[in-house]
Amino acid sequence: MLVIAHRGASGYRPEHTPAAYRLAALQGADYLEPDLVATLDGVLVCRHENEISSTTDVAEHAVFADRKITKIVDGTAVTGWFVEDFTFAELRTLRARERMPALRASNTAYDGLEEIPTFDEVVALARRESVRLGRPIGVIPETKHPTYFRRLGLPLEELLTERILALRLRDDEIMVQSFEPTSLRRLSVMTRVPLVQLIDAESAPNDFLRTGDGRTYADLIEPAGLREVATYAQVLAPHKDLIIPRTAENCLGEPTRLVDHAHRAGLNVQAWTFRAERRFLPTATDYATELTRFASLGLQGVFADQPDQAVETLRKRALNV
């Protein structure tokens, strides 16, 4: 089973930093996951969101004070500083910081130490670590807000395909993921790399909402929806609550048939996101117990904030099978 380092080893280092990606590789992750957004001049960089006030020190740079603005992103008003309003050179003057300092206080020791990495740099890092550690380490980028960026004249699919070709990324080095089916459909005719349809636990894909398509994520995981997903993607990546829902008491309930149905449609399944902090765990269940129960359902991969704990749990499970 693949262990995918969710934004790097984000349980131990500020997410989407070189330090988080390097540590994830060292901890045994099979894939590094960079979320991709685009600068004003079309450079793909790694941030969880295009609004960067919580993940960089931009608010401390007086020269950029006048760029604070409120925008509508995927139907929601967001106030702050946005990647697409900065050239890459300007963005490089900023430094990354921990997004959840109250929860991950130890990560704040790394605030201000590193620049925002580009997609190219994460690929180079993965390749270097593959050689150094003697095992393959891939990348699994996500196109973030692709409909939004396309309307700005920054089409993430074209920008990413250009980099995939320029970097000569092989199919076994990369998978590309998105919550928006339209983004993946575009990529399916631009490149032959494996594609991953992300599925949230509620609501609907933003591209569906923007175009008046009445379907929801729930519709996409019905048998007919899964068969449609399989026409353009190879992997389904659902929120883990869609695989094993939680009860009203926040305990793990009974598994759904989603994994079986996805497999029947020809799709592999990767579940997200496994986090070791108590606030994210089911009641009266530890990390290893939760992950082991999910693994028993036949998943092909898991997204983890603490890759070392996922690797160790799956190793122990394999020894006991």
Side-chain angles (χ1 to χ4, degrees):
M1 183 184 304
L2 298 175
V3 172
I4 299 164
H6 186 236
R7 309 172 195 167
S10 55
Y12 304 113
R13 300 289 188 274
E15 64 190 31
H16 295 310
T17 58
Y21 295 128
R22 284 193 299 270
L23 181 59
L26 183 64
Q27 290 182 340
D30 299 293
Y31 279 81
L32 311 178
E33 191 234 8
D35 294 332
L36 299 184
V37 291
T39 65
L40 179 64
D41 45 351
V43 178
L44 291 176
V45 296
C46 306
R47 290 290 86 189
H48 173 51
E49 289 292 341
N50 56 323
E51 199 287 301
I52 56 174
S53 61
S54 65
T55 61
T56 74
D57 61 357
V58 63
E60 299 171 10
H61 291 249
V63 67
F64 299 133
D66 62 349
R67 296 196 200 180
K68 188 175 184 180
I69 191 173
T70 298
K71 297 188 179 189
I72 304 300
V73 181
D74 292 359
T76 301
V78 182
T79 300
W81 289 263
F82 295 82
V83 165
E84 64 269 19
D85 295 332
F86 291 77
T87 66
F88 176 61
E90 290 173 330
L91 201 69
R92 280 297 224 197
T93 66
L94 308 181
R95 294 297 179 268
R97 59 174 44 173
E98 171 57 38
R99 186 173 61 90
M100 299 187 289
L103 178 67
R104 294 172 172 168
S106 61
N107 287 10
T108 63
Y110 303 92
D111 284 357
L113 299 182
E114 295 194 294
E115 299 170 333
I116 297 172
T118 66
F119 173 65
D120 286 31
E121 289 168 341
V122 177
V123 170
L125 186 154
R127 285 172 164 170
R128 285 195 306 271
E129 293 301 295
S130 295
V131 172
R132 187 174 72 86
L133 297 170
R135 61 181 183 82
I137 301 169
V139 294
I140 180 168
E142 177 189 343
T143 59
K144 296 291 292 190
H145 309 298
T147 295
Y148 170 88
F149 273 102
R150 180 167 289 273
R151 291 178 175 177
L152 296 177
L154 294 166
L156 299 183
E157 298 83 9
E158 284 88 335
L159 294 171
L160 179 54
T161 298
E162 176 188 342
R163 300 320 304 155
I164 289 171
L165 294 173
L167 297 170
R168 298 184 178 181
L169 280 158
R170 304 185 311 271
D171 290 1
D172 62 346
E173 287 185 288
I174 184 171
M175 293 184 272
V176 180
Q177 52 177 337
S178 183
F179 281 102
E180 297 191 17
T182 303
S183 184
L184 294 176
R185 286 186 181 278
R186 286 195 174 101
L187 285 162
S188 71
V189 298
M190 294 179 182
T191 178
R192 296 190 179 278
V193 303
L195 303 177
V196 181
Q197 176 65 64
L198 292 162
I199 300 288
D200 210 342
E202 56 188 23
S203 189
N206 178 63
D207 51 335
F208 285 8
L209 293 172
R210 302 281 77 80
T211 60
D213 188 321
R215 290 176 296 167
T216 65
Y217 285 118
D219 293 316
L220 290 181
I221 59 173
E222 291 294 323
L226 292 170
R227 289 193 295 271
E228 180 179 341
V229 169
T231 64
Y232 59 84
Q234 291 71 46
V235 181
L236 188 80
H239 189 295
K240 62 185 181 180
D241 287 354
L242 296 172
I243 297 172
I244 304 181
R246 298 198 185 186
T247 67
E249 295 76 28
N250 196 41
C251 297
L252 288 178
E254 293 301 313
T256 68
R257 298 295 305 280
L258 177 55
V259 174
D260 289 340
H261 290 164
H263 286 165
R264 194 168 296 128
L267 295 162
N268 286 336
V269 180
Q270 299 168 353
W272 56 276
T273 300
F274 291 87
R275 297 180 166 109
E277 290 89 357
R278 180 69 259 168
R279 65 172 286 188
F280 297 119
L281 293 170
T283 301
T285 302
D286 62 20
Y287 182 89
T289 302
E290 180 194 28
L291 181 54
T292 298
R293 186 168 178 198
F294 275 86
S296 70
L297 300 178
L299 303 177
Q300 281 67 56
V302 293
F303 291 76
D305 282 10
Q306 291 88 2
D308 57 337
Q309 296 191 44
V311 168
E312 180 64 12
T313 297
L314 296 175
R315 184 189 69 82
K316 289 181 177 178
R317 178 179 181 274
L319 291 174
N320 292 330
V321 170

